[in-house]
């Protein structure tokens, strides 16, 4: 079952209406998968402080999932497959705020998505390993430098996460890269809603 | 366990689940090793269920599902016609109480490699033989003890184990277990179908549909024998629950699955 096997209804809606609706869907799916994750002793949970060692580990896991999906997209042969994996990567990026809404509010991500949905940001061109390196750099170095409370150290280097502004900048940069392969906003919208339908199906069928 | 609403969505998603499984070296059918280097994606101990009303009621609709799911045996008109004939014949031979018919050759027509496993002029086993009397006997046992956990019909026999190494025909199905349980106010007949091995692209759809037909025939038999005063006279169909030890998908038949 994938995006081509689900029914996608796209109502007439403004950018703001779409992103507001979609962020709500994203939150629902993220919370639903976190419920599964808690049963598997996974670390990714909503409302987990990004100042804690555990919260920072959860961030690293989501960051790796973004890189994993982007790599899968680059490796895929068909355009449909590439864009489907890209939608997965975007979904993981948009899940990051829900780890700790005191650091990044969903509203600020929503505003970024609206801002980035301008026609010039959609080029319909394929990403390559340089883009992957750029995204990995943003997550691993630019943001990673602020993740100083490590589970394997007895004392935290920073008691509080102080990288909120940098993290928001990184997420914006990464989203702007991930939007590039789509030809326009409508195509991005179609893939995000189709993928959400697939995720709903997976949750219903005990994936 | 995955829980699917119907056969179509089960087929779509299982194909993806198997594709994500690790690759193993594998013979194609019944230990034939002439295709060296063949690999299959395999999931160990896979299980799922399909809702009771999620099955196509007629052979024509099964063939339609097989065509839509892009199974290789259903992609030409000749192939679809062969499947229609085979499914009708197998359902009748396996489940209807009548003198046992001889081999019909259709199985070998569908899977030509099996011709060389015919011993003399007779296949080493057939489902029709091994299921002879199953509907009647299970119906009587379940009427006597509706809550029994022993209503199991074996397809794989001890003698099949002696042929594990050999390029000869042994069943992929281990057996069928039926359980009647009360759900709200209804008595419901569940089928638990156990398989040692299943090739998804070629055998899954027919295996599943014929197993569900077994469940359906058994339910009708129980109702007919129960009598109006018995609570079993309104027995309902329950989910189909499938356990497969080695569920696989051959690498040479796949496109890009995601």
């Amino acid at each position: 079952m994938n995006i081509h096997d689900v029914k996608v209804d796209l109502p007439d809606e403004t950018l703001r209406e779409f992103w507001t609706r979609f962020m709500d869907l994203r939150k629902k799916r993220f919370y639903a998968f976190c419920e599964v994750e808690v049963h598997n002793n996974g670390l990714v949970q909503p409302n987990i402080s990004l100042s804690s060692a555990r919260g920072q580990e959860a961030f690293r896991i989501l960051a790796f999932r973004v890189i994993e999906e982007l790599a899968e997209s680059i490796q895929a042969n068909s355009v449909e497959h590439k864009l489907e994996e890209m939608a997965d990567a975007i979904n993981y990026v948009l899940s990051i705020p829900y780890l700790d809404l005191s650091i990044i509010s969903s509203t600020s991500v929503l505003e970024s998505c609206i801002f980035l949905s301008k026609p010039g940001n959609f080029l319909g061109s394929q990403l390559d390993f340089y883009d992957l390196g750029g995204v990995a750099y943003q997550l691993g170095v630019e943001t990673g430098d602020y993740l100083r409370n490590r589970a394997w150290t007895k004392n935290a280097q920073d008691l509080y996460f102080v990288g909120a502004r940098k993290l928001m900048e990184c997420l914006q940069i990464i989203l702007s890269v991930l939007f590039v392969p789509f030809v326009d906003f409508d195509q991005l919208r179609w893939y995000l809603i189709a993928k959400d339908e697939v995720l709903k199906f997976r949750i219903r069928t005990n994936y | 366990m995955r829980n699917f609403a119907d056969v179509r969505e089960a087929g779509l998603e299982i194909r993806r689940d198997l594709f994500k499984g690790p690759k193993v070296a594998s013979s194609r059918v019944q230990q034939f090793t002439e295709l060296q280097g063949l690999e299959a994606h395999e999931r160990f101990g896979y299980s799922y269920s399909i809702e009771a009303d999620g099955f196509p009621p007629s052979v024509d609709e099964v063939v339609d599902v097989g065509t839509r799911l892009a199974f290789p045996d259903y992609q030409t008109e000749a192939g679809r016609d062969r499947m229609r004939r085979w499914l009708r014949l197998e359902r009748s031979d396996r489940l209807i109480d009548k003198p046992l018919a001889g081999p019909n050759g259709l199985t070998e027509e569908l899977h030509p490699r099996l011709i060389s496993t015919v011993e003399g002029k007779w296949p080493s086993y057939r489902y029709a033989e091994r299921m002879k009397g199953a509907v009647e006997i299970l119906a009587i046992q379940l009427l006597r003890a509706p809550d029994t956990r022993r209503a199991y019909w074996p397809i794989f026999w001890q003698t099949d184990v002696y042929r594990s190494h050999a390029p000869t025909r042994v069943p992929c199905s281990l057996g069928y277990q039926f359980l009647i349980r009360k759900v709200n106010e209804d008595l419901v007949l569940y089928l638990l179908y156990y398989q040692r091995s299943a090739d998804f692209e070629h055998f899954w759809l027919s295996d599943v549909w014929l197993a569900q037909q077994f469940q359906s025939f058994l339910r009708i038999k129980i109702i007919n024998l129960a009598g109006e005063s018995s609570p079993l006279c309104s027995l309902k169909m329950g989910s189909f629950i499938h356990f497969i030890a080695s569920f696989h998908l051959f690498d040479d038949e796949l496109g890009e699955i995601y």
Side-chain angles (χ1 to χ4, degrees):
Chain A
M1 177 77 83
N2 71 22
I3 47 169
H4 300 296
D5 304 308
V6 295
K7 191 169 178 289
V8 179
D9 291 319
L10 290 179
D12 284 338
E13 56 192 342
T14 62
L15 279 178
R16 181 169 297 280
E17 284 167 344
F18 168 74
W19 282 113
T20 304
R21 181 166 73 96
F22 186 72
M23 286 302 287
D24 189 44
L25 294 174
R26 181 84 296 267
K27 181 181 178 183
K28 281 183 187 155
R29 281 343 137 225
F30 178 66
Y31 276 54
F33 279 113
C34 284
E35 274 182 40
V36 180
E37 190 147 344
V38 78
H39 286 291
N40 291 324
N41 297 320
L43 288 178
V44 176
Q45 290 301 308
N47 306 315
I48 182 172
S49 170
L50 263 190
S51 296
S52 69
R54 194 177 158 178
Q56 295 189 4
E57 286 295 280
F59 173 83
R60 288 189 184 93
I61 291 169
L62 280 185
F64 181 80
R65 290 178 190 171
V66 173
I67 293 168
E68 195 177 17
E69 297 299 338
L70 178 51
E72 284 179 8
S73 173
I74 291 167
Q75 273 199 318
N77 294 317
S78 71
V79 173
E80 290 81 8
H81 188 183
K82 283 178 181 294
L83 295 181
E84 194 263 0
E85 301 293 352
M86 206 59 74
D88 286 342
I90 293 168
N91 278 336
Y92 282 125
V93 173
L94 297 181
S95 302
I96 288 173
Y98 295 110
L99 289 176
D100 186 345
L101 289 166
S102 72
I103 300 293
I104 292 181
S105 70
S106 55
T107 314
S108 53
V109 178
L110 168 75
E111 294 300 331
S112 294
C113 288
I114 294 168
F115 175 75
L116 292 168
S117 297
K118 288 181 291 195
N121 286 335
F122 301 104
L123 301 176
S125 58
Q126 293 183 9
L127 298 188
D128 58 25
F129 286 104
Y130 291 104
D131 299 303
L132 177 63
V135 168
Y137 184 83
Q138 289 296 325
L139 291 167
V141 179
E142 294 289 352
T143 307
D145 202 34
Y146 291 92
L147 305 176
R148 292 285 173 183
N149 195 348
R150 298 182 173 97
W152 44 271
T153 59
K154 287 185 177 173
N155 294 291
Q157 288 174 314
D158 280 339
L159 280 178
Y160 302 103
F161 181 78
V162 292
R165 185 173 174 161
K166 182 52 99 178
L167 175 57
M168 193 61 233
E169 279 175 23
C170 286
L171 295 187
Q172 283 177 334
I173 292 168
I174 292 167
L175 285 171
S176 71
V177 173
L178 300 183
F179 284 7
V180 163
F182 297 89
V183 292
D184 56 21
F185 170 66
D186 270 347
Q187 191 186 42
L188 171 68
R189 194 164 67 119
W190 188 92
Y191 271 87
L192 290 177
I193 295 296
K195 188 64 198 200
D196 186 71
E197 288 295 326
V198 172
L199 295 178
K200 256 196 313 193
F201 163 78
R202 299 238 164 95
I203 290 163
R204 171 170 67 78
T205 59
N206 265 351
Y207 182 52
Chain B
M1 177 186 288
R2 303 295 303 268
N3 302 313
F4 299 113
D6 56 45
V7 171
R8 178 189 163 273
E9 73 172 34
L12 287 168
E13 187 71 350
I14 289 170
R15 181 179 275 135
R16 182 179 177 277
D17 278 350
L18 299 186
F19 184 71
K20 302 282 180 189
K23 283 186 189 178
V24 294
S26 176
S27 58
R28 173 84 70 187
V29 185
Q30 305 287 7
Q31 298 287 51
F32 278 89
T33 53
E34 80 281 14
L35 294 169
Q36 293 299 324
L38 192 62
E39 287 188 320
H41 293 263
E42 182 185 61
R43 293 286 296 262
F44 262 19
Y46 191 88
S47 62
Y48 66 92
S49 69
I50 298 176
E51 297 295 317
D53 58 358
F55 285 82
S58 71
V59 166
D60 284 339
E61 285 167 275
V62 181
V63 171
D64 186 51
V65 170
T67 309
R68 287 169 192 271
L69 287 173
F71 287 127
D73 297 327
Y74 298 77
Q75 293 315 300
T76 63
E77 199 42 60
R80 286 190 283 274
D81 186 52
R82 241 190 336 260
M83 289 310 301
R84 275 186 208 101
R85 283 189 290 137
W86 184 76
L87 287 167
R88 287 196 179 106
L89 207 57
E90 280 296 310
R91 178 173 59 177
S92 160
D93 282 354
R94 291 181 190 193
L95 300 174
I96 294 175
D97 187 21
K98 60 181 182 181
L100 196 60
N104 54 51
L106 268 175
T107 301
E108 292 73 22
E109 196 182 317
L110 273 170
H111 308 292
R113 283 193 189 84
L114 292 181
I115 290 166
S116 64
T117 65
V118 172
E119 298 169 359
K121 290 188 174 179
W122 209 265
S124 52
Y125 89 95
R126 289 186 305 139
Y127 276 82
E129 292 168 359
R130 296 203 177 182
M131 291 176 71
K132 188 74 190 146
V135 173
E136 289 73 16
I137 291 167
L138 286 168
I140 290 164
Q141 298 302 318
L142 283 163
L143 279 161
R144 287 176 179 165
D147 59 351
T148 185
R149 301 183 180 96
R150 300 176 184 181
Y152 175 78
W153 194 268
I155 299 296
F156 194 89
W157 294 352
Q158 183 179 336
T159 48
D160 296 316
V161 181
Y162 309 148
R163 297 161 169 240
S164 297
H165 70 289
T168 187
R169 207 180 298 188
V170 296
C172 294
S173 299
L174 298 175
Y176 306 90
Q177 184 175 8
F178 295 92
L179 291 168
I180 295 175
R181 291 292 179 266
K182 197 166 186 180
V183 180
N184 301 322
E185 293 306 308
D186 294 322
L187 287 172
V188 178
L189 177 70
Y190 290 93
L191 164 59
L192 295 92
Y193 177 31
Y194 308 101
Q195 282 195 285
R196 61 170 183 83
S197 167
D199 171 352
F200 175 74
E201 295 288 336
H202 289 283
F203 300 102
W204 173 76
L205 181 59
S206 53
D207 282 346
V208 161
W209 188 73
L210 287 165
Q212 197 261 358
Q213 288 294 293
F214 185 14
Q215 182 186 13
S216 176
F217 274 58
L218 178 60
R219 172 181 160 268
I220 291 165
K221 191 75 180 175
I222 291 170
I223 289 171
N224 288 342
L225 293 175
E228 285 180 13
S229 59
S230 166
L232 288 170
C233 73
S234 57
L235 184 65
K236 301 277 189 298
M237 279 287 273
S239 306
F240 165 92
I241 303 161
H242 198 178
F243 300 91
I244 305 137
S246 166
F247 204 1
H248 44 266
L249 190 64
F250 284 95
D251 213 23
D252 61 340
E253 294 177 331
L254 302 175
E256 203 169 349
I257 298 175
Y258 52 97

